DNA sequence: AGTGGCACCTGTGTGC
DNA sequence: TGCACACAGGTGCCAC
């Protein structure tokens, strides 16, 4: 489900419900997610939520007695519910709050993550977060930075921008879309990208992620914000899922190709 | 060290 | 209708 825009839309959807309220209890299912749920998250019970942050596709719920780290994987989503709403299949984690609301994680495929960052530890030193590259909206993520990263790699440019050590938050949809806007063939070797192309690509990654957040993210199958609303960015996609349809620029037929195991969409005429 | 392949898991859609 | 199979928005580990 979620790439960076969907995670950010989720964050914006839960922050007002969480901040300023006390975590009264947690529900922890016995099913294992990507890792077993870190039971130390119980340390946060009885503490007020101070903030909800995002790093890449991870959400961090901050309290004075430690932080809950969440990842939505492929199929996870968070919803704001009234207290004691009936549990559904694949509900794996829930935060019960003093305002009689719950933040509940439902994750069909269980590729998500619930972990814990102790109170005295720098959040960014967590093992999941410390290995991540820059945020796409940060000043650190520039065309020059991207160019230098790409130059060292022989893999495809698409696989490279999806590498969270290069830049966080670019998943399969926005990788195809940003390469389309930049007129770069996704199969092109990363080290063959010019500085000019890297500048274009950097700019379009920032632009497309921002535009998607503004539209509430991309709803393909089941993504919705924490309020259950669908994302409308799917209507703005140029190539993703459009195999066999005409390119919106040149009307050539959009093709698909598998790159590192992921379906990839591009216009063979526009993208060189 | 970098790379491709694969595993993790469930649900859905397609073709026979 | 039932079955087998491919595929899905992510990430990390494993041999090469």
């Amino acid at each position: 489900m979620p790439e960076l825009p969907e995670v950010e839309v989720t964050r914006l959807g839960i922050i007002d419900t969480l901040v300023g309220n006390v975590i009264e209890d947690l529900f922890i299912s016995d099913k294992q997610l990507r890792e077993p749920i870190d039971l130390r998250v119980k340390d946060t019970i009885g503490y007020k939520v101070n903030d909800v942050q995002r790093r890449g596709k991870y959400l961090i719920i901050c309290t004075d007695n430690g932080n809950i780290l969440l990842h939505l994987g492929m199929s996870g989503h968070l919803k704001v519910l009234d207290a004691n709403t009936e549990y559904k299949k694949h509900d794996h984690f829930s935060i019960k709050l003093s305002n009689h609301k719950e933040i509940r994680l439902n994750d069909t495929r269980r590729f998500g993550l619930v972990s814990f960052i102790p109170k005295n530890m720098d959040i960014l030193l967590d093992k999941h977060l410390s290995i991540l590259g820059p945020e796409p909206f940060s000043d650190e993520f520039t065309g020059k930075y991207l160019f230098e990263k790409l130059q060292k790699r022989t893999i495809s440019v698409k696989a490279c921008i999806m590498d969270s050590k290069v830049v966080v938050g670019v998943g399969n949809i926005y990788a195809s879309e940003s390469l389309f806007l930049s007129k770069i063939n996704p199969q092109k070797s990363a080290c063959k990208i010019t500085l000019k192309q890297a500048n274009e690509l950097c700019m379009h990654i920032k632009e497309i992620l921002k535009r998607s957040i503004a539209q509430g993210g991309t709803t393909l199958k089941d993504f919705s914000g924490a309020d259950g609303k669908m994302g409308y960015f799917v209507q703005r996609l140029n190539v993703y899922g459009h195999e066999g349809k005409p390119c919106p620029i040149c009307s050539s037929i959009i093709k698909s190709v598998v790159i590192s195991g992921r379906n990839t969409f591009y216009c063979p005429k526009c993208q060189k």
Side-chain angles (χ1 to χ4, degrees), chain A residues 1 3 57 74 109 158 162 170-173 176 240 256-265:
Chain A
M1 179 256 298
E3 300 184 36
K57 298 171 191 166
M74 289 278 260
R109 293 176 70 185
K158 192 234 184 186
M162 286 181 67
V170 181
N172 204 33
I173 298 176
S176 280
Y240 187 88
S256 81
V257 63
V258 174
I259 297 177
S260 35
R262 313 295 299 278
N263 211 351
T264 307
F265 302 86

Side-chain angles (χ1 to χ4, degrees), chain A residues 43-209:
Chain A
D43 287 4
T44 61
I45 293 173
Y47 288 82
K48 194 171 71 180
V49 176
N50 299 321
D51 198 6
V52 181
Q53 300 178 11
R54 180 189 57 72
R55 175 78 175 97
K57 298 171 191 166
Y58 288 89
L59 289 170
I60 308 142
I61 296 169
C62 307
T63 79
D64 284 338
N65 204 39
N67 312 286
I68 299 171
L69 182 68
L70 298 174
H71 193 286
L72 303 177
M74 289 278 260
S75 58
H77 50 260
L78 293 174
K79 280 222 170 72
V80 176
L81 299 170
D82 290 325
N84 300 315
T85 302
E86 199 173 329
Y87 282 89
K88 285 191 185 164
K89 198 174 182 183
H90 308 303
D91 281 346
H92 297 302
F93 184 68
S94 190
I95 302 172
K96 306 181 183 198
L97 296 159
S98 52
N99 56 359
H100 307 295
K101 297 282 185 186
E102 286 190 31
I103 305 295
R104 199 171 290 177
L105 171 69
N106 185 283
D107 183 4
T108 309
R109 293 176 70 185
R110 290 195 266 135
F111 292 158
L113 175 84
V114 179
S115 190
F116 181 72
I117 307 173
K119 64 176 172 181
N120 292 326
M121 183 174 151
D122 182 344
I123 287 172
L124 298 178
L125 293 181
D126 174 81
K127 68 170 180 177
H128 303 94
L129 305 183
S130 61
I131 57 172
L132 297 178
E135 286 288 324
F137 303 140
S138 69
D139 295 339
E140 192 186 340
F141 184 60
T142 62
K144 183 167 174 286
Y145 163 88
L146 182 59
F147 176 66
E148 285 167 3
K149 283 282 178 187
L150 293 171
Q151 268 203 317
K152 295 174 189 157
R153 308 291 292 272
T154 58
I155 55 171
S156 70
V157 59
K158 192 234 184 186
C160 201
I161 60 172
M162 286 181 67
D163 180 348
S164 63
K165 293 180 190 69
V166 173
V167 59
V168 295
V170 181
N172 204 33
I173 298 176
Y174 300 110
S176 280
E177 292 295 318
S178 58
L179 286 162
F180 173 77
L181 294 177
S182 309
K183 303 188 190 303
I184 299 170
N185 188 308
Q187 298 167 100
K188 190 165 180 144
S189 177
C191 56
K192 300 245 173 84
I193 298 295
T194 64
L195 176 59
K196 191 176 170 218
Q197 286 177 315
N199 277 325
E200 283 280 306
L201 186 53
C202 174
M203 180 188 80
H204 284 123
I205 287 171
K206 289 173 192 266
E207 179 192 302
I208 200 158
L209 295 178

